[in-house]
Amino acid sequence: MSEDEEDQSPPPSDLRSQQQQQRPPCSPNKSRNCISSSSQTFPDHVLENVLENVLQFLESRTDRNAASLVCKLWWKVEGLTRSEVFIGNCYALSPTRLTQRFKRVRSLLLKGKPRFADFNLMPPDWGANFAPWVSTMAKAYPWLEKVDLKRIFVSDDDLALLAHSFPGFKELILVCCEGFGTSGIAVVANKCRKLKVLDLIESEVTDDEVDWISCFPEDVTCLESLAFDCVEAPINFKALEALVIRSPFLRKLRLNRFVSLEEVHRLLLGAPQLTSLGTGSFKHDNQSEQEQEPDYAAAFRACKSVVCLSGFRELMPEYLPAILPVCANLTSLNFSYANISPDMFKPIIHTCHKLQVFWALDSICDEGLQAVAATCKELRELRIFPFDPREDSEGPVSELGLQAISEGCRKLESVLYFCQRMTNAALIAMSHNCPELTVFRLCIMGRHRPDHVTGKAMDEGFGAIVKNCKKLTRLAVSGLLTDQAFRYMGEYGKLIRTLSVAFAGDSDMALRHVLEGCPRLQKLEIRDSPFGDVALRSGMHRYYNMRFVWMSACSLSMGCCKDVARAMPNLVVEVIGSDDDDENREFVETLYMYRSLDGPRKDAPQFVTIL
Amino acid sequence: MSRKKMGHTFASKLLLLLPTSLACFSVFPLSLIEKKVSSMNLSSIKQLASTKPHFIFTINFSITNSFPYFSSVKMDEFVNLEATELRLGLPGTDNVCEGRERVSCSKRALQGAAENETESSTMKTETSPPRKAQIVGWPPVRSFRKNIVQTKKNESESEGGRGLYVKVSMDGAPYLRKIDLSCYKGYSELLKALEMMFNFSAGEYFEREGYNGSEFVPTYEDKDGDWMLIGDVPWEMFVCTCKRLRIMKGSEAKGFGCDV
């Protein structure tokens, strides 16, 4: 079974150079002698050595997967040389299988819960625990350096075990994780002396009232990246300041909202080498004793290398111009926690000519988006989040903003857009203007909303997107959609790997179009759509080639799910119920199914039935 | 039930209704005096107020000129004045049971999700503007992001409404209403709102005897399906377990131990 491709940043370059240093090249004389002396096939161990030295340079996961399929020997050697392992679904295999196949892993990227769990569509304590993984790896990979977890339940004990088991541990990245607190972080900070990266991103971190910042070792640290903006606990600022001063390699720093603007100012003066800064709360504390306000702009001016800015929590808009000195260099700007009006926004964005990644709230309105379109010609990624995330909210952005962006930012690759009003025309325009689009996620927040100008369904708009954006790999649809939209997806969406559907479609045919027409489909998540047994059965030829299928509040019967489970023994079919398990319930509440090499998991909670 | 809170609501209601001659606006912090305030709409004043919580703002205004907004507001929405109330408290103190309700109420909402589909179609027959039931997990914004923006919303707009919608029916009334429980801070506010909405009086609440002095009895159905008297359990528990409200009348009400 090959692991899946994912939008992955390339592995850190130091890992490769380390490999080169540690593995002495196999002497070529040995193999040459063998060639001359025998006309038979090479002894296996020689081939192995040669292969090892060749395969160690393979970095891409897909290349490695392909190489491992050549023959048994290649499979074995590839397993010896793979140092970075990606596991897209932690239940697709057991930790033992991982350690048996790959012997020298330095870096693990593990993903757990399905994405819809983020939106409360699944009861808590579903699973995806880090514990079995860390305990198995603690014995098998003493030289583990990097762990990157997404939507995994990590306990403080797990973190402690990690900190104690891996002396060379360098990078801990926890994205959308939960189950741990500041005490676990303290252990990692204290014990991992070679720690370079500690990134806590959108995770739930309980406040154990531990001063974890003070737990970093006293001498110069190797820290290059420290992100704790999701930690909802006050920080010992003095310790933080001291830490920053003794971390000469620190490039990325993301603070939480308990760090005030004045404190950020002091930090910046002491760390001008920063390239990425996430500010804390961006407001001036009027109760401070200083007579004069600190010159925030001067501090930013001193940071000539800052190219990425985020944070801006609790923003006081009048202080926003302080960032102007760095705007011209910015490639990434995240205003998505700041309620900024168009008037405040425009003077800032007009200086950001190099911007490539831009996240913001819809409070900047269509007007703000037009300003982005006018200035940011290098824009690659745009995400507009709703300030008021309710179905019947006002919705200050619309098709006008999106259309302007499509006309101004021709290099756009990734879009996430929350709005209340959209038209097919705007989507068609975007499909023509932005041929580089690989990710297109549009969320029209009011359910079943048609094109607000023509009153028609949004079929043609999304159809144009899948048809004209030939590189599209990820799609999320919304609004009023009939089966026709799905027919387009099946016909044109040949590269689509991830598809999110909600409140869309008329009949089983819609899902059938997608399952029969999209050969690269890996991740399918559907909610509240009228797809039933016929549709589910039509995809049985695909499910072993997919990472997972999620269908909640659809029209699937238990009988059909059982049939699928019986017909496909390597597919784990989970039916997740809610509390009032009505025996007479006609349809399955939630179906989550995924392939697995090691059978159904043993840690399923009570509300999960594995068929 | 806090009398103080009721008084606060009532007093601000008075303030808004009293016509005064001048529209003037005085602000104390020095750093703001230089700023020109071009438009005097309430939300910008409130935004300033919330960002400088420790300063005192006084506002006198006349209803007729400055607030066309009020002419379109229905009487029953006057009860929930949070959108127009000025607060002197520190920002971020409004989160009632935000965290708790998300965990414990998600199950209720999960069940309700299927219900809500049919509800939204029947709601078209109601005469009042139908506000859609909030579907769980929609729009797909992570709670982390919602929380962050929520604290800011509370600072800048002080709006209630985190979407705890329950149906309210009254015996004898022609149609259902839907209210957002998270708009209210306690039973007194809720009861006042119900009284205004349906134009009745609930009488006084006594712990042992229930409601005294009225033939109407406010009850609610909890998530176990039992009908309970409103006010029996602590407010936070009520908000999390209440599925719908019903104002019973007359003979049925006797079952709840009320003296008519």
Side-chain angles (χ1 to χ4, degrees):
Chain A
M1 184 185 91
S2 55
E3 279 88 40
D4 301 316
E5 194 179 14
E6 183 76 335
D7 297 312
Q8 267 282 83
S9 56
S13 53
D14 56 346
L15 196 68
R16 192 189 342 164
S17 57
Q18 247 188 22
Q19 268 186 311
Q20 284 173 337
Q21 283 162 20
Q22 281 160 10
R23 213 149 309 158
C26 176
S27 96
N29 293 329
K30 222 173 166 183
S31 42
R32 227 185 292 138
N33 283 340
C34 287
I35 294 173
S36 58
S37 65
S38 93
S39 54
Q40 295 158 339
T41 47
F42 298 126
D44 269 350
H45 70 272
V46 170
L47 251 185
E48 251 185 64
N49 284 338
V50 171
L51 260 181
E52 230 183 277
N53 284 289
V54 170
L55 289 182
Q56 69 172 325
F57 294 104
L58 267 187
E59 279 169 16
S60 146
R61 208 163 67 229
T62 33
D63 288 348
R64 284 189 159 272
N65 293 344
S68 66
L69 292 176
V70 169
C71 64
K72 267 261 172 197
L73 182 64
W74 281 54
W75 186 88
K76 179 181 169 199
V77 175
E78 193 281 314
L80 286 176
T81 56
R82 192 184 296 222
S83 62
E84 187 174 305
V85 176
F86 169 83
I87 298 175
N89 175 5
C90 63
Y91 286 123
L93 67 154
S94 68
T96 332
R97 187 178 286 264
L98 167 72
T99 53
Q100 276 169 359
R101 177 166 171 193
F102 299 113
K103 299 293 185 189
R104 300 181 195 152
V105 173
R106 301 281 167 137
S107 158
L108 176 72
L109 202 159
L110 187 67
K111 296 193 180 184
K113 291 193 278 191
R115 198 177 71 96
F116 274 5
D118 287 351
F119 314 124
N120 292 343
L121 287 182
M122 190 150 82
D125 302 324
W126 171 81
N129 298 304
F130 188 44
W133 294 91
V134 68
S135 55
T136 313
M137 289 196 300
K139 299 178 210 122
Y141 302 139
W143 302 115
L144 192 69
E145 291 176 357
K146 173 177 171 180
V147 165
D148 184 336
L149 305 177
K150 188 165 186 179
R151 292 194 193 95
I152 300 269
F153 187 93
V154 185
S155 70
D156 288 321
D157 291 332
D158 298 336
L159 288 177
L161 183 59
L162 183 142
H164 284 107
S165 311
F166 307 117
F169 197 74
K170 295 198 174 129
E171 297 186 39
L172 180 65
I173 302 169
L174 301 175
V175 181
C176 300
C177 294
E178 55 175 350
F180 63 100
T182 46
S183 47
I185 300 299
V187 180
V188 172
N190 190 252
K191 294 283 178 229
C192 302
R193 299 268 147 167
K194 303 238 176 96
L195 197 65
K196 292 203 294 191
V197 173
L198 180 58
D199 280 353
L200 307 172
I201 300 169
E202 292 191 26
S203 295
E204 259 188 59
V205 185
T206 55
D207 180 8
D208 303 328
E209 292 180 20
V210 169
D211 181 6
W212 58 278
I213 289 279
S214 304
C215 292
F216 280 95
E218 292 281 315
D219 29 308
V220 171
T221 74
C222 315
L223 270 184
E224 293 176 14
S225 171
L226 178 63
F228 59 93
D229 45 327
C230 59
V231 177
E232 290 291 305
I235 280 283
N236 177 346
F237 180 69
K238 269 202 151 139
L240 177 63
E241 203 179 359
L243 176 67
V244 169
I245 287 174
R246 65 177 191 279
S247 303
F249 304 107
L250 193 66
R251 294 285 175 275
K252 300 186 184 181
L253 182 62
R254 288 190 184 211
L255 310 164
N256 68 7
R257 64 179 177 88
F258 292 89
V259 180
S260 71
L261 190 53
E262 281 164 305
E263 289 169 340
V264 170
H265 175 253
R266 272 164 62 182
L267 282 177
L268 284 182
L269 293 175
Q273 79 279 16
L274 284 180
T275 58
S276 169
L277 173 68
T279 67
S281 82
F282 214 84
K283 63 177 187 207
H284 182 67
D285 185 10
N286 279 323
Q287 284 172 333
S288 69
E289 279 132 31
Q290 289 176 316
E291 286 166 3
Q292 249 190 338
E293 267 178 26
D295 188 356
Y296 296 124
F300 279 99
R301 207 173 296 127
C303 294
K304 296 193 179 15
S305 352
V306 164
V307 292
C308 173
L309 264 189
S310 62
F312 304 103
R313 312 267 293 267
E314 300 167 7
L315 174 74
M316 278 184 178
E318 58 265 34
Y319 290 99
L320 206 49
I323 69 170
L324 278 173
V326 294
C327 283
N329 293 330
L330 283 184
T331 56
S332 169
L333 180 58
N334 182 349
F335 274 157
S336 64
Y337 301 124
N339 182 13
I340 306 179
S341 68
D343 293 329
M344 286 282 170
F345 175 67
K346 288 197 293 194
I348 307 282
I349 201 68
H350 276 313
T351 58
C352 300
H353 295 99
K354 290 193 188 164
L355 210 58
Q356 292 184 18
V357 174
F358 179 58
W359 294 22
L361 288 180
D362 58 5
S363 56
I364 62 171
C365 302
D366 286 329
E367 210 183 317
L369 288 171
Q370 283 158 352
V372 173
T375 320
C376 308
K377 298 302 177 188
E378 297 296 316
L379 199 68
R380 304 282 195 275
E381 177 176 327
L382 175 73
R383 295 198 193 192
I384 300 295
F385 296 95
F387 175 68
D388 187 1
R390 288 179 303 130
E391 258 196 281
D392 44 0
S393 62
E394 259 307 303
V397 297
S398 69
E399 77 278 3
L400 296 172
L402 195 66
Q403 176 117 15
I405 290 283
S406 76
E407 285 162 9
C409 310
R410 297 301 175 106
K411 300 187 186 175
L412 206 56
E413 292 171 2
S414 171
V415 173
L416 171 63
Y417 199 79
F418 281 84
C419 62
Q420 289 286 19
R421 303 184 303 286
M422 188 47 62
T423 60
N424 284 310
L427 294 190
I428 294 171
M430 177 153 257
S431 74
H432 288 302
N433 292 336
C434 304
E436 301 296 316
L437 272 182
T438 53
V439 173
F440 186 75
R441 299 155 70 189
L442 176 68
C443 179
I444 303 172
M445 293 191 280
R447 289 169 290 145
H448 310 299
R449 291 235 174 128
D451 177 327
H452 81 100
V453 166
T454 64
K456 292 193 183 154
M458 295 299 298
D459 298 338
E460 294 306 313
F462 282 105
I465 292 281
V466 290
K467 187 171 170 193
N468 300 327
C469 300
K470 309 254 192 283
K471 300 185 183 177
L472 198 72
T473 56
R474 183 169 180 184
L475 180 66
V477 298
S478 59
L480 181 65
L481 291 169
T482 70
D483 290 353
Q484 179 60 32
F486 295 88
R487 191 171 292 128
Y488 286 136
M489 282 180 231
E491 195 179 334
Y492 299 110
K494 296 305 176 190
L495 293 183
I496 292 180
R497 298 184 63 247
T498 310
L499 180 63
S500 281
V501 176
F503 305 102
D506 295 327
S507 72
D508 285 339
M509 277 313 294
L511 184 54
R512 280 187 65 176
H513 287 308
V514 166
L515 287 170
E516 288 166 5
C518 301
R520 299 275 177 98
L521 193 62
Q522 291 288 310
K523 295 174 273 180
L524 181 60
E525 40 189 34
I526 301 175
R527 63 167 294 186
D528 294 89
S529 301
F531 307 141
D533 298 346
V534 172
L536 191 68
R537 283 188 224 274
S538 72
M540 279 170 59
H541 64 291
R542 293 246 3 137
Y543 298 139
Y544 277 154
N545 291 330
M546 293 174 68
R547 191 184 298 173
F548 71 80
V549 174
W550 168 289
M551 288 179 69
S552 61
C554 297
S555 317
L556 298 171
S557 73
M558 187 64 100
C560 177
C561 296
K562 286 187 177 155
D563 288 346
V564 172
R566 215 171 313 154
M568 306 183 76
N570 286 331
L571 199 68
V572 176
V573 179
E574 290 192 15
V575 168
I576 303 170
S578 55
D579 260 358
D580 68 342
D581 258 324
D582 193 355
E583 288 304 317
N584 299 326
R585 185 189 288 276
E586 204 187 334
F587 297 132
V588 159
E589 173 88 38
T590 301
L591 169 75
Y592 179 54
M593 57 191 198
Y594 50 89
R595 61 190 171 185
S596 172
L597 288 175
D598 290 312
R601 59 190 177 117
K602 313 258 181 329
D603 61 355
Q606 223 187 359
F607 53 81
V608 170
T609 315
I610 300 186
L611 299 178
Chain B
M1 286 187 262
S2 138
R3 296 277 161 205
K4 213 165 37 169
K5 281 191 184 148
M6 248 176 66
H8 183 48
T9 320
F10 189 58
S12 51
K13 206 161 70 168
L14 267 181
L15 181 67
L16 292 167
L17 289 176
L18 273 176
T20 51
S21 49
L22 286 171
C24 72
F25 168 41
S26 55
V27 181
F28 289 94
L30 290 173
S31 57
L32 273 187
I33 280 187
E34 283 88 55
K35 289 202 178 183
K36 291 195 179 141
V37 181
S38 51
S39 70
M40 301 233 260
N41 61 70
L42 197 54
S43 50
S44 66
I45 294 170
K46 269 178 38 32
Q47 180 153 28
L48 281 170
S50 62
T51 55
K52 314 246 184 232
H54 41 282
F55 290 106
I56 301 170
F57 288 76
T58 57
I59 294 188
N60 301 313
F61 40 75
S62 101
I63 279 270
T64 48
N65 296 342
S66 317
F67 295 93
Y69 163 77
F70 281 148
S71 59
S72 60
V73 168
K74 297 197 178 76
M75 248 329 263
D76 56 352
E77 281 176 77
F78 251 109
V79 177
N80 177 20
L81 288 172
E82 283 174 69
T84 54
E85 256 177 23
L86 290 179
R87 299 280 163 88
L88 294 184
L90 288 172
T93 49
D94 282 333
N95 299 329
V96 180
C97 68
E98 171 113 26
R100 248 178 292 159
E101 77 190 33
R102 195 159 291 114
V103 173
S104 56
C105 293
S106 63
K107 290 177 195 161
R108 173 177 75 83
L110 264 174
Q111 301 156 22
E115 256 178 53
N116 291 335
E117 297 280 4
T118 49
E119 265 170 22
S120 46
S121 53
T122 55
M123 267 163 47
K124 287 177 200 147
T125 56
E126 287 181 5
T127 52
S128 53
R131 268 164 103 195
K132 275 188 179 166
Q134 298 292 320
I135 299 282
V136 87
W138 188 261
V141 176
R142 286 198 187 121
S143 41
F144 172 69
R145 195 168 279 285
K146 267 188 189 163
N147 281 343
I148 294 186
V149 180
Q150 204 64 250
T151 35
K152 238 130 7 71
K153 266 175 77 177
N154 288 335
E155 284 170 32
S156 64
E157 286 173 12
S158 291
E159 194 179 278
R162 255 157 261 124
L164 265 179
Y165 290 89
V166 293
K167 283 194 254 196
V168 187
S169 62
M170 180 158 105
D171 294 355
Y175 48 76
L176 298 180
R177 301 294 298 273
K178 257 204 166 163
I179 60 168
D180 183 354
L181 282 185
S182 54
C183 286
Y184 310 108
K185 293 212 187 33
Y187 285 118
S188 56
E189 279 188 22
L190 173 66
L191 286 169
K192 258 272 178 286
L194 291 175
E195 287 177 338
M196 298 220 65
M197 203 180 283
F198 289 99
N199 210 11
F200 75 104
S201 173
E204 251 184 76
Y205 174 77
F206 292 98
E207 216 170 285
R208 295 260 179 85
E209 293 121 17
Y211 288 85
N212 196 7
S214 161
E215 57 170 338
F216 292 101
V217 180
T219 63
Y220 73 98
E221 184 184 9
D222 71 3
K223 51 183 196 182
D224 299 324
D226 302 322
W227 286 94
M228 319 258 286
L229 200 60
I230 287 182
D232 276 351
V233 301
W235 173 254
E236 282 80 18
M237 189 189 296
F238 166 73
V239 166
C240 290
T241 57
C242 169
K243 273 173 75 170
R244 74 173 99 135
L245 303 181
R246 180 177 159 201
I247 300 166
M248 295 189 183
K249 181 180 164 177
S251 50
E252 272 200 67
K254 288 219 173 102
F256 283 85
C258 303
D259 293 359
V260 174

